């Protein structure tokens, strides 16, 4: 029971988990805010780039399409009914995740935090909240069917744990400047 909830939550959220990690690898180039400041601090900062955002979004959508091809054998192997992703849902999860991360940087700059500073809580959940909100708007019936209250609860508990583990891992591998 809990195993199938975790499998469903992880599978359904993968297109939202991958974009941030892809952006870390692909990031660089022109910042989205073009260097502009607002109220004495950068609007978003150098850590939010066009390339990172575009590559991250595409990576999330591409992963969703790959999962679609694997849904049947994976469901059979695990004995769980894993969902497939229509293109709008895939895009909402991936782009929503990137927008959540960008929104968090906006809030970090407003609260005087420099690029790379930690904001516990926000760092771990920003992308999930916006990705979920986006997919509920874009593909409401699908989202209601997949993200039942118990799956949502698993997502909210599991995501911060996965976020900490992947970021410490990326830091250890030298891919990230900070372990958060
Ligand atoms: N990145 C990017 N574009 C994005 C998100 C991330 O290019 N939309 C890249 C940047 O190179 C960034 C790295 O991924 O430095 C790590 O992402 P993150 O930790 O979110 O950014 P920070 O540099 O820590 O900046 P901030 O304080 O604004 O979160
Ligand atoms: K972040
Ligand atoms: Mg960071």
């Amino acid at each position: 029971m809990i195993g199938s909830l975790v499998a469903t939550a992880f599978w359904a959220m993968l297109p939202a988990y991958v974009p941030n990690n892809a952006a870390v690898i692909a990031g660089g180039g022109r910042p989205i805010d073009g260097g502009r400041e607002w109220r004495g601090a950068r609007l978003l900062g150098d850590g939010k780039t066009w390339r990172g955002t575009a590559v991250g979004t595409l990576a999330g959508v591409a992963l969703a399409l790959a999962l679609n091809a694997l849904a049947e054998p994976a469901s059979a192997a695990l004995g769980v009914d894993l969902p497939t992703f229509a293109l709008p849902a895939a895009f909402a999860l991936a782009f929503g995740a990137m927008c959540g991360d960008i929104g968090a940087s906006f809030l970090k700059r407003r609260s005087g935090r420099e690029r790379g500073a930690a904001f516990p809580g926000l760092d771990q959940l920003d992308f999930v909240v916006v990705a979920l909100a986006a997919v509920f708007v874009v593909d409401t019936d699908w989202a209601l069917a997949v993200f039942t209250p118990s799956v949502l609860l698993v997502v909210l508990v599991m995501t911060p744990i996965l976020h900490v583990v992947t970021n410490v891992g990326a830091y250890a591998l030298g891919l990230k400047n900070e372990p958060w």
Side-chain angles (χ1 to χ4, degrees), residues 38-160:
W38 188 52
R39 297 185 176 212
R42 284 286 294 276
L43 198 57
L44 301 173
D46 284 333
K48 306 296 118 152
T49 67
W50 290 108
R51 193 168 79 206
T53 308
V55 173
T57 303
L58 286 176
V61 171
L63 182 77
L65 299 181
L67 292 179
N68 285 345
L70 296 173
E72 232 177 273
S75 297
L78 296 174
V80 181
D81 196 13
L82 297 168
T84 55
F85 305 85
L87 201 54
F91 183 79
L93 286 167
F95 188 58
M98 290 271 76
C99 289
D101 178 59
I102 291 168
S105 290
F106 177 79
L107 293 178
K108 287 188 197 177
R109 301 301 92 84
R110 306 286 69 75
S111 60
R113 289 173 172 81
E114 298 291 340
R115 174 189 180 182
F119 197 146
L122 192 67
D123 278 330
Q124 286 74 33
L125 285 170
D126 51 15
F127 59 104
V128 174
V129 172
V130 179
L132 284 172
V135 82
F136 269 89
V137 169
V138 165
D139 202 340
T140 308
D141 291 341
W142 180 86
L144 283 172
V146 173
F147 294 105
T148 59
S150 27
V151 170
L152 274 180
L153 184 65
V154 171
V155 168
L156 292 180
V157 173
M158 179 178 68
T159 302

Side-chain angles (χ1 to χ4, degrees), residues 108 116 176 178 180:
K108 287 188 197 177
K176 266 199 120 214
E178 306 87 16
W180 48 75

